[in-house]
Amino acid sequence: MLSIIGGALATAPAGAAGPAYVALGDSYSSGVGTRTYISDGTSCQRSTKAYPYLIAQARGYTLNFQACSGAKTADVTANQLGALNTSTRYVTISIGGNDAGFSDVITECAKPAWASDCSGKVNTANSFITNTLPGRLNTLYASIKTKAPNAKVVVVGYPRIFNGEDCNAATWFSPDDESRLNATADLINSKISAAASAKGFTFANPTSRFIGHAVCGDPEWLNGLSNPISESYHPNVTGHASGYYPLVSPLLV
């Protein structure tokens, strides 16, 4: 049974209402990169190929799909937390990358070295992730815990984008650029993990699953430079099905 009501996608076996599962967060949860999106009257780019939908479908959970492309912590608080209540059984969330401006960092680092301040952008992002992001995460996670006190909450991290090569003709990532961007992904995961642990939430780290399957991997689970540009550097259909789904699904029980 499928229904789309008020932008929320609900899935459950016919004739039964499964446990309530709310998927919060940004484009890595909504399914940007899969190229197939639900027509729900929003620009959130939610996909039936995204891991929250795959989990709900497989487990018979009733999905309230709130994750939205471009979301920052403040957007989750303002626009997504209303879906939570005392009946919520499961919650997933990926958030923090947009707060840190990670897409702008990648865009800067993709330029030729003579036209790029990749190092400066990375340093700024790392400073934000270290000094500002933890407070935002702590506040948001506390709100989730208050609004859904009976839920199992899984906080989902970000993969490293690169394997050590750049096979896209229109980008100029150096090996050092790629190494520093991967280190930034590790840094944000460490801060997210610490904040999640402090609230008793489970952290799902996708780093190991995407090794060998990052941009230019074989097979590639993360899109490289894409058309439209918004699809770039996000998990594709296989990235959700073979990367995130088997990582997160066993934790939502």
Side-chain angles (χ1 to χ4, degrees), residues 84-98:
L84 302 177
N85 56 53
T86 56
S87 297
T88 304
R89 288 276 302 279
Y90 303 105
V91 175
T92 55
I93 181 169
S94 64
I95 203 68
N98 292 320

Side-chain angles (χ1 to χ4, degrees), residues 97-234:
N98 292 320
D99 291 72
F102 197 62
S103 63
D104 292 337
V105 176
I106 293 176
T107 299
E108 185 70 19
C109 292
K111 299 175 183 177
W114 59 267
S116 168
D117 183 22
C118 179
S119 181
K121 281 282 192 180
V122 169
N123 288 341
T124 298
N126 287 348
S127 177
F128 177 91
I129 292 167
T130 300
N131 299 311
T132 304
L133 184 61
R136 294 190 182 185
L137 295 175
N138 288 336
T139 299
L140 175 59
Y141 295 167
S143 294
I144 292 172
K145 196 173 184 71
T146 297
K147 291 178 178 295
N150 303 313
K152 172 69 179 290
V153 180
V154 176
V155 179
V156 184
Y158 299 95
R160 294 173 184 163
I161 300 293
F162 299 102
N163 287 312
E165 62 177 318
D166 181 9
C167 61
N168 293 290
T171 59
W172 288 267
F173 294 104
S174 71
D176 182 64
D177 292 340
E178 294 188 357
S179 178
R180 294 203 68 197
L181 289 166
N182 285 345
T184 296
D186 291 345
L187 177 64
I188 195 169
N189 280 342
S190 73
K191 300 303 180 183
I192 292 171
S193 176
S197 177
K199 294 294 184 290
F201 298 165
T202 299
F203 178 66
N205 189 342
T207 301
S208 62
R209 293 203 64 86
F210 280 82
I211 290 175
H213 300 295
V215 172
C216 302
D218 184 22
E220 184 180 71
W221 293 359
L222 291 169
N223 297 329
L225 185 65
S226 303
N227 182 21
I229 194 80
S230 61
E231 301 285 330
S232 305
Y233 309 109
H234 283 81

